[in-house]
Amino acid sequence: MKSLASLSLWRIIILILPLVSLGQTFEYGWPDNYDKPPQCVDIPVDLRLCQGVGYHQMLLPNLLEHESMAEVKQQAGSWVPLLHKNCDPGTQLLLCSLFAPVCMERPIYPCRRLCENVRDGCSPIMAAFGFPWPHILTCDKFPQDDMCINTPNDTSTSEPNGHPPVCPPCDNEMKMDVILDHMCASEFAIKTKIQEVKRENMDRKVTLQKKKRTIKMGTLKKKDLKKLTLYLKNGADCPCTQLDNTRNTYLIMGRKVDKQYLLTGIHKWDKSNREFKKTMKKLKSHKCPAYENVFK
Amino acid sequence: MSRKTRRWIFHIFLCLGIIYLKIGGFSSVVALGASIICNKIPGLAPRQRTICQSRPDAIIVIGEGAQMGINECQFQFKNGRWNCSALGERTVFGKELKVGSKEAAFTYAIIAAGVAHAITAACTQGTLSGCGCDKEKQGFYNQEEGWKWGGCSADIRYGLSFSKVFLDAREIKQNARTLMNLHNNEVGRKILEKNMRLECKCHGVSGSCTTKTCWTTLPKFRQLGYILKERYNHAVHVEPVRASRNKRPAFLKVKKPYSYRKPMDTDLVYIEKSPNYCEADPVTGSMGTQGRICNKTAQHTNGCDLMCCGRGYNTHQYSRVWQCNCKFLWCCYVKCNTCSERTEVYTCK
């Protein structure tokens, strides 16, 4: 495959003598894995991260060295909630150029500018959920020339001046897909009421009422559940109508980062809402992407 | 002469046999063909014949591993007078170098490493029967560093032992050259074993390292080439030592007056000084440098003065054409321009 790529790029017209070999080291090449050469496969329907990305076939293993489709799906699953945030128009293109790279003779990486735009637009939202910008998406390692993937209509000139303050855990759409994706990305989910909301440095501290019902236990223990206190990360001043109303019952999702429990999603427990009711019903049979099986 | 002819025929038949096995593919024809081919190869050592008959799939992998070793050898020495080629017919195991030189030492080591590497890789991929992943590690948790064994850890011990059994079986005679070959084979395998590395995957949420799986994996073969090239540059000149009553050499020692030090187990060893490789010589197996491409402006080994041994060089002009200014266009194809320039190439007279 690599020699084929070399042949397609070089044509040597020799008048007298054949040349043994001209050294041409590409800056970007296949991840040199000795197991198997990359193959073109259809993007599966249940790889939801990359539906509608603009092409239909991908390379396996991909550019993140995921070797099986099960591994690709498992790792891509945790990125789907980020797509719902619409933090940058190039988010899906950046992620899918690595998770489900286009089938070409040589790998095509995302452009550094595309990566930097998505990083600058999305890392504040990821930080709200306790996720740093990951090492696998470090922008410095991506190319800056023309042999890379950029947004089709490069809108580098239209810079949005001034973001309205946003509470990522609070502004989720009341939609089944969105709630289920966030449920899978969260470690636990409970039904409860809010007792108190207080500012604490840059965060907002949410104290819950004693009466709780567990929707998803996850890694949470019963002992911890009793005195559970959640933090809205970097959310001291952002608008969150749910936290302003302590009379309602809420579906609250979260995860543990170091010793803090972070709020990752909050929805009003609204039985009169058809979408919410449908989601709760679906939740009983819904299966999150399995983590353990892929790496056994 | 009859011994040389027999050895030559052995290499030819082995090469043809491997080609035949590849063409035949995996079927009963392979088993039948393997049996016929293995029995008809003259000069094959008894143990090698047994391996050949019982493991036709392994013979294919052995051939590929040896070829990988030869390719790496040619890469490492591409700028030298000796570029890992020898007079005579080229076979998958390479022509045996007549002189017990540093170059022979490198060749034997890189082929032994190549065979072990290829066997281990085939086990990992599951293309070889009777071996697979290193099961001892599966599922265990590394407490101190916080990761878990998983994936498919390469079973290097199987590859090493297979390479040893098959390649060392060629060295039947008890003489200095045999001892040298056995030692250098082992050097290649030891370098491979020492350079096995740990590869890890972070597969927590968003690719974080909260969940991490690690496995042992083979080093890149180029890395082995560089290491062995360094050993070649510091190869140790040795001589045989005979036991008191036996006339046959028992072991090798460093060739120095009053020294009885043995070479280290990762030292490449040689028993004869290298020829200068300037002229073609059937006796030493030297190909000579006539017709070799050299660099007019370079001062190193591929410079024309050094490469051509002072005989001078010829100049040839040609037009080089290549694709340039490539762009990826959405979605999805690559568009390039075509560039060309007149350039010169120099070859030794």
Side-chain angles (χ1 to χ4, degrees), chain B residues 183-222:
Chain B
H183 180 96
N184 291 320
N185 282 352
E186 191 60 26
V187 169
R189 288 188 288 264
K190 270 200 163 54
I191 296 295
L192 172 58
E193 187 180 14
K194 289 187 175 187
N195 284 275
M196 292 293 290
R197 58 198 177 91
L198 195 74
E199 185 146 354
C200 297
K201 228 165 217 178
C202 302
H203 49 90
V205 182
S206 301
S208 68
C209 290
T210 54
T211 315
K212 197 177 177 186
T213 302
C214 301
W215 60 96
T216 57
T217 190
L218 290 161
K220 303 292 176 281
F221 201 69
R222 179 121 306 158

Short mmCIF file of all heavy atoms in Angstrom, two decimals, chain B residues 183-222:
data_model
loop_
_atom_site.label_atom_id
_atom_site.label_comp_id
_atom_site.label_asym_id
_atom_site.label_seq_id
_atom_site.Cartn_x
_atom_site.Cartn_y
_atom_site.Cartn_z
N HIS B 183 26.94 -17.94 16.97
CA HIS B 183 27.01 -16.80 17.89
C HIS B 183 26.24 -15.60 17.32
O HIS B 183 25.46 -14.96 18.03
CB HIS B 183 28.47 -16.42 18.14
CG HIS B 183 28.63 -15.26 19.06
ND1 HIS B 183 28.86 -15.41 20.41
CD2 HIS B 183 28.57 -13.92 18.84
CE1 HIS B 183 28.94 -14.21 20.97
NE2 HIS B 183 28.78 -13.29 20.04
N ASN B 184 26.46 -15.31 16.04
CA ASN B 184 25.82 -14.13 15.45
C ASN B 184 24.31 -14.33 15.28
O ASN B 184 23.54 -13.38 15.42
CB ASN B 184 26.47 -13.80 14.11
CG ASN B 184 27.88 -13.29 14.29
OD1 ASN B 184 28.14 -12.52 15.22
ND2 ASN B 184 28.79 -13.71 13.43
N ASN B 185 23.88 -15.55 14.98
CA ASN B 185 22.44 -15.82 14.98
C ASN B 185 21.84 -15.45 16.34
O ASN B 185 20.79 -14.81 16.42
CB ASN B 185 22.17 -17.31 14.71
CG ASN B 185 22.30 -17.67 13.25
OD1 ASN B 185 22.45 -16.79 12.40
ND2 ASN B 185 22.26 -18.96 12.96
N GLU B 186 22.52 -15.88 17.39
CA GLU B 186 22.00 -15.62 18.73
C GLU B 186 22.00 -14.13 19.06
O GLU B 186 21.12 -13.64 19.76
CB GLU B 186 22.82 -16.40 19.76
CG GLU B 186 22.21 -16.44 21.15
CD GLU B 186 20.83 -17.08 21.19
OE1 GLU B 186 20.52 -17.91 20.32
OE2 GLU B 186 20.06 -16.74 22.09
N VAL B 187 23.01 -13.41 18.55
CA VAL B 187 23.04 -11.96 18.77
C VAL B 187 21.79 -11.31 18.18
O VAL B 187 21.13 -10.48 18.83
CB VAL B 187 24.31 -11.34 18.15
CG1 VAL B 187 24.22 -9.82 18.13
CG2 VAL B 187 25.54 -11.79 18.91
N GLY B 188 21.45 -11.69 16.95
CA GLY B 188 20.25 -11.12 16.33
C GLY B 188 19.01 -11.38 17.16
O GLY B 188 18.19 -10.50 17.36
N ARG B 189 18.88 -12.60 17.65
CA ARG B 189 17.70 -12.94 18.45
C ARG B 189 17.70 -12.20 19.79
O ARG B 189 16.66 -11.76 20.27
CB ARG B 189 17.65 -14.45 18.67
CG ARG B 189 17.27 -15.23 17.42
CD ARG B 189 17.03 -16.69 17.72
NE ARG B 189 18.27 -17.41 18.01
CZ ARG B 189 18.95 -18.12 17.11
NH1 ARG B 189 18.53 -18.19 15.87
NH2 ARG B 189 20.05 -18.75 17.45
N LYS B 190 18.89 -12.06 20.39
CA LYS B 190 18.94 -11.37 21.69
C LYS B 190 18.60 -9.89 21.55
O LYS B 190 17.94 -9.31 22.42
CB LYS B 190 20.33 -11.53 22.31
CG LYS B 190 20.44 -12.76 23.19
CD LYS B 190 21.59 -12.68 24.15
CE LYS B 190 21.45 -13.68 25.28
NZ LYS B 190 21.25 -15.06 24.81
N ILE B 191 19.08 -9.28 20.47
CA ILE B 191 18.76 -7.87 20.25
C ILE B 191 17.25 -7.70 20.10
O ILE B 191 16.65 -6.76 20.63
CB ILE B 191 19.50 -7.33 19.01
CG1 ILE B 191 21.01 -7.38 19.22
CG2 ILE B 191 19.05 -5.91 18.69
CD1 ILE B 191 21.52 -6.48 20.30
N LEU B 192 16.62 -8.63 19.37
CA LEU B 192 15.16 -8.56 19.22
C LEU B 192 14.48 -8.71 20.57
O LEU B 192 13.58 -7.93 20.92
CB LEU B 192 14.69 -9.67 18.27
CG LEU B 192 13.18 -9.87 18.15
CD1 LEU B 192 12.49 -8.61 17.68
CD2 LEU B 192 12.86 -11.02 17.20
N GLU B 193 14.93 -9.69 21.35
CA GLU B 193 14.29 -9.94 22.65
C GLU B 193 14.41 -8.73 23.57
O GLU B 193 13.46 -8.36 24.26
CB GLU B 193 14.92 -11.17 23.29
CG GLU B 193 14.23 -11.61 24.56
CD GLU B 193 14.88 -12.84 25.17
OE1 GLU B 193 16.02 -13.17 24.77
OE2 GLU B 193 14.27 -13.44 26.06
N LYS B 194 15.60 -8.10 23.56
CA LYS B 194 15.81 -6.96 24.46
C LYS B 194 15.02 -5.74 24.06
O LYS B 194 14.82 -4.83 24.86
CB LYS B 194 17.30 -6.61 24.50
CG LYS B 194 18.14 -7.64 25.24
CD LYS B 194 19.57 -7.16 25.40
CE LYS B 194 20.37 -8.13 26.24
NZ LYS B 194 21.71 -7.61 26.56
N ASN B 195 14.60 -5.66 22.80
CA ASN B 195 13.92 -4.47 22.33
C ASN B 195 12.42 -4.65 22.18
O ASN B 195 11.76 -3.81 21.56
CB ASN B 195 14.52 -4.02 21.00
CG ASN B 195 15.85 -3.34 21.21
OD1 ASN B 195 15.91 -2.15 21.48
ND2 ASN B 195 16.93 -4.10 21.13
N MET B 196 11.89 -5.73 22.74
CA MET B 196 10.43 -5.82 22.82
C MET B 196 9.92 -4.64 23.63
O MET B 196 10.57 -4.21 24.58
CB MET B 196 10.01 -7.13 23.49
CG MET B 196 10.32 -8.36 22.68
SD MET B 196 9.37 -8.47 21.17
CE MET B 196 7.74 -8.79 21.83
N ARG B 197 8.78 -4.09 23.23
CA ARG B 197 8.32 -2.89 23.91
C ARG B 197 6.87 -3.04 24.35
O ARG B 197 6.14 -3.90 23.88
CB ARG B 197 8.47 -1.67 23.01
CG ARG B 197 7.73 -1.78 21.72
CD ARG B 197 8.24 -0.79 20.69
NE ARG B 197 7.54 -0.98 19.44
CZ ARG B 197 6.42 -0.34 19.10
NH1 ARG B 197 5.90 0.53 19.92
NH2 ARG B 197 5.84 -0.57 17.95
N LEU B 198 6.51 -2.16 25.28
CA LEU B 198 5.15 -2.14 25.81
C LEU B 198 4.35 -1.10 25.04
O LEU B 198 4.77 0.05 24.92
CB LEU B 198 5.20 -1.78 27.29
CG LEU B 198 3.94 -2.04 28.11
CD1 LEU B 198 3.78 -3.52 28.35
CD2 LEU B 198 4.01 -1.29 29.43
N GLU B 199 3.23 -1.52 24.50
CA GLU B 199 2.35 -0.59 23.81
C GLU B 199 1.05 -0.50 24.59
O GLU B 199 0.56 -1.51 25.08
CB GLU B 199 2.09 -1.08 22.38
CG GLU B 199 1.28 -0.12 21.57
CD GLU B 199 1.67 -0.11 20.11
OE1 GLU B 199 2.66 -0.78 19.76
OE2 GLU B 199 1.00 0.56 19.33
N CYS B 200 0.52 0.71 24.70
CA CYS B 200 -0.67 0.92 25.52
C CYS B 200 -1.72 1.68 24.74
O CYS B 200 -1.42 2.43 23.82
CB CYS B 200 -0.33 1.71 26.79
SG CYS B 200 0.78 0.85 27.86
N LYS B 201 -2.95 1.45 25.13
CA LYS B 201 -4.07 2.16 24.55
C LYS B 201 -4.91 2.74 25.66
O LYS B 201 -5.26 2.04 26.62
CB LYS B 201 -4.91 1.20 23.72
CG LYS B 201 -5.24 1.72 22.34
CD LYS B 201 -5.75 0.62 21.48
CE LYS B 201 -5.27 0.78 20.06
NZ LYS B 201 -5.71 -0.30 19.19
N CYS B 202 -5.22 4.02 25.54
CA CYS B 202 -6.11 4.66 26.49
C CYS B 202 -7.50 4.64 25.89
O CYS B 202 -7.72 5.23 24.84
CB CYS B 202 -5.67 6.10 26.75
SG CYS B 202 -4.00 6.19 27.36
N HIS B 203 -8.39 3.96 26.54
CA HIS B 203 -9.74 3.84 25.98
C HIS B 203 -10.80 4.21 27.00
O HIS B 203 -11.90 3.65 26.99
CB HIS B 203 -9.96 2.42 25.44
CG HIS B 203 -9.58 1.34 26.40
ND1 HIS B 203 -10.46 0.81 27.30
CD2 HIS B 203 -8.41 0.70 26.60
CE1 HIS B 203 -9.85 -0.12 28.00
NE2 HIS B 203 -8.60 -0.20 27.60
N GLY B 204 -10.46 5.16 27.87
CA GLY B 204 -11.49 5.71 28.72
C GLY B 204 -12.37 6.66 27.92
O GLY B 204 -12.28 6.76 26.70
N VAL B 205 -13.24 7.38 28.63
CA VAL B 205 -14.15 8.30 27.95
C VAL B 205 -13.32 9.39 27.28
O VAL B 205 -12.39 9.94 27.86
CB VAL B 205 -15.15 8.91 28.96
CG1 VAL B 205 -16.12 9.83 28.25
CG2 VAL B 205 -15.90 7.80 29.66
N SER B 206 -13.66 9.70 26.04
CA SER B 206 -12.93 10.69 25.23
C SER B 206 -11.47 10.33 25.06
O SER B 206 -10.63 11.22 24.91
CB SER B 206 -13.06 12.09 25.83
OG SER B 206 -14.40 12.47 25.92
N GLY B 207 -11.15 9.06 25.08
CA GLY B 207 -9.78 8.65 24.88
C GLY B 207 -8.88 8.93 26.06
O GLY B 207 -7.66 8.93 25.93
N SER B 208 -9.48 9.15 27.23
CA SER B 208 -8.66 9.45 28.40
C SER B 208 -7.97 8.19 28.89
O SER B 208 -8.34 7.07 28.54
CB SER B 208 -9.52 10.03 29.51
OG SER B 208 -10.40 9.04 30.01
N CYS B 209 -6.97 8.38 29.75
CA CYS B 209 -6.18 7.26 30.25
C CYS B 209 -6.70 6.72 31.57
O CYS B 209 -5.97 6.03 32.27
CB CYS B 209 -4.72 7.68 30.39
SG CYS B 209 -3.95 7.93 28.81
N THR B 210 -7.94 7.04 31.91
CA THR B 210 -8.50 6.44 33.12
C THR B 210 -8.64 4.94 32.96
O THR B 210 -8.56 4.20 33.93
CB THR B 210 -9.87 7.04 33.44
OG1 THR B 210 -10.71 6.90 32.28
CG2 THR B 210 -9.74 8.52 33.79
N THR B 211 -8.86 4.50 31.74
CA THR B 211 -8.88 3.07 31.43
C THR B 211 -7.78 2.83 30.40
O THR B 211 -7.77 3.46 29.36
CB THR B 211 -10.23 2.64 30.84
OG1 THR B 211 -11.26 3.22 31.63
CG2 THR B 211 -10.37 1.14 30.84
N LYS B 212 -6.88 1.93 30.72
CA LYS B 212 -5.69 1.76 29.89
C LYS B 212 -5.36 0.28 29.78
O LYS B 212 -5.38 -0.44 30.79
CB LYS B 212 -4.54 2.51 30.55
CG LYS B 212 -3.35 2.79 29.65
CD LYS B 212 -2.34 3.60 30.46
CE LYS B 212 -1.09 3.87 29.69
NZ LYS B 212 -0.06 4.53 30.52
N THR B 213 -5.09 -0.16 28.58
CA THR B 213 -4.73 -1.54 28.32
C THR B 213 -3.38 -1.58 27.65
O THR B 213 -3.12 -0.78 26.75
CB THR B 213 -5.78 -2.21 27.43
OG1 THR B 213 -7.05 -2.11 28.07
CG2 THR B 213 -5.45 -3.67 27.20
N CYS B 214 -2.52 -2.49 28.08
CA CYS B 214 -1.17 -2.58 27.54
C CYS B 214 -0.88 -4.00 27.09
O CYS B 214 -1.45 -4.95 27.61
CB CYS B 214 -0.14 -2.16 28.58
SG CYS B 214 -0.38 -0.50 29.18
N TRP B 215 0.03 -4.11 26.13
CA TRP B 215 0.47 -5.41 25.65
C TRP B 215 1.89 -5.27 25.13
O TRP B 215 2.33 -4.17 24.79
CB TRP B 215 -0.46 -5.93 24.55
CG TRP B 215 -0.55 -5.07 23.34
CD1 TRP B 215 0.16 -5.20 22.18
CD2 TRP B 215 -1.37 -3.92 23.16
NE1 TRP B 215 -0.18 -4.20 21.30
CE2 TRP B 215 -1.12 -3.40 21.88
CE3 TRP B 215 -2.32 -3.26 23.96
CZ2 TRP B 215 -1.77 -2.28 21.37
CZ3 TRP B 215 -2.96 -2.14 23.45
CH2 TRP B 215 -2.68 -1.66 22.18
N THR B 216 2.61 -6.38 25.10
CA THR B 216 3.96 -6.34 24.54
C THR B 216 3.87 -6.48 23.03
O THR B 216 3.03 -7.22 22.51
CB THR B 216 4.83 -7.46 25.11
OG1 THR B 216 4.20 -8.71 24.85
CG2 THR B 216 5.03 -7.29 26.60
N THR B 217 4.74 -5.78 22.34
CA THR B 217 4.70 -5.81 20.90
C THR B 217 6.11 -5.80 20.34
O THR B 217 7.07 -5.45 21.03
CB THR B 217 3.89 -4.62 20.35
OG1 THR B 217 3.67 -4.81 18.96
CG2 THR B 217 4.63 -3.31 20.55
N LEU B 218 6.22 -6.23 19.09
CA LEU B 218 7.52 -6.28 18.44
C LEU B 218 8.02 -4.88 18.14
O LEU B 218 7.23 -3.99 17.83
CB LEU B 218 7.41 -7.07 17.14
CG LEU B 218 7.17 -8.57 17.27
CD1 LEU B 218 6.63 -9.13 15.97
CD2 LEU B 218 8.46 -9.27 17.66
N PRO B 219 9.32 -4.68 18.20
CA PRO B 219 9.85 -3.39 17.75
C PRO B 219 9.77 -3.28 16.24
O PRO B 219 9.62 -4.28 15.54
CB PRO B 219 11.30 -3.43 18.22
CG PRO B 219 11.64 -4.88 18.22
CD PRO B 219 10.39 -5.59 18.62
N LYS B 220 9.86 -2.05 15.74
CA LYS B 220 9.95 -1.87 14.30
C LYS B 220 11.25 -2.51 13.83
O LYS B 220 12.30 -2.37 14.47
CB LYS B 220 9.95 -0.39 13.93
CG LYS B 220 8.75 0.37 14.44
CD LYS B 220 7.48 -0.06 13.73
CE LYS B 220 6.26 0.62 14.29
NZ LYS B 220 5.78 0.04 15.55
N PHE B 221 11.17 -3.22 12.73
CA PHE B 221 12.36 -3.95 12.30
C PHE B 221 13.48 -2.99 11.92
O PHE B 221 14.66 -3.32 12.05
CB PHE B 221 12.02 -4.88 11.14
CG PHE B 221 13.02 -5.98 11.00
CD1 PHE B 221 13.12 -6.97 11.96
CD2 PHE B 221 13.90 -6.01 9.94
CE1 PHE B 221 14.06 -7.97 11.84
CE2 PHE B 221 14.84 -7.00 9.82
CZ PHE B 221 14.92 -7.99 10.77
N ARG B 222 13.14 -1.79 11.46
CA ARG B 222 14.18 -0.82 11.15
C ARG B 222 15.00 -0.47 12.38
O ARG B 222 16.21 -0.25 12.29
CB ARG B 222 13.55 0.45 10.57
CG ARG B 222 14.56 1.54 10.24
CD ARG B 222 14.53 1.92 8.80
NE ARG B 222 14.70 0.80 7.92
CZ ARG B 222 14.30 0.79 6.65
NH1 ARG B 222 13.70 1.85 6.15
NH2 ARG B 222 14.48 -0.27 5.90
#
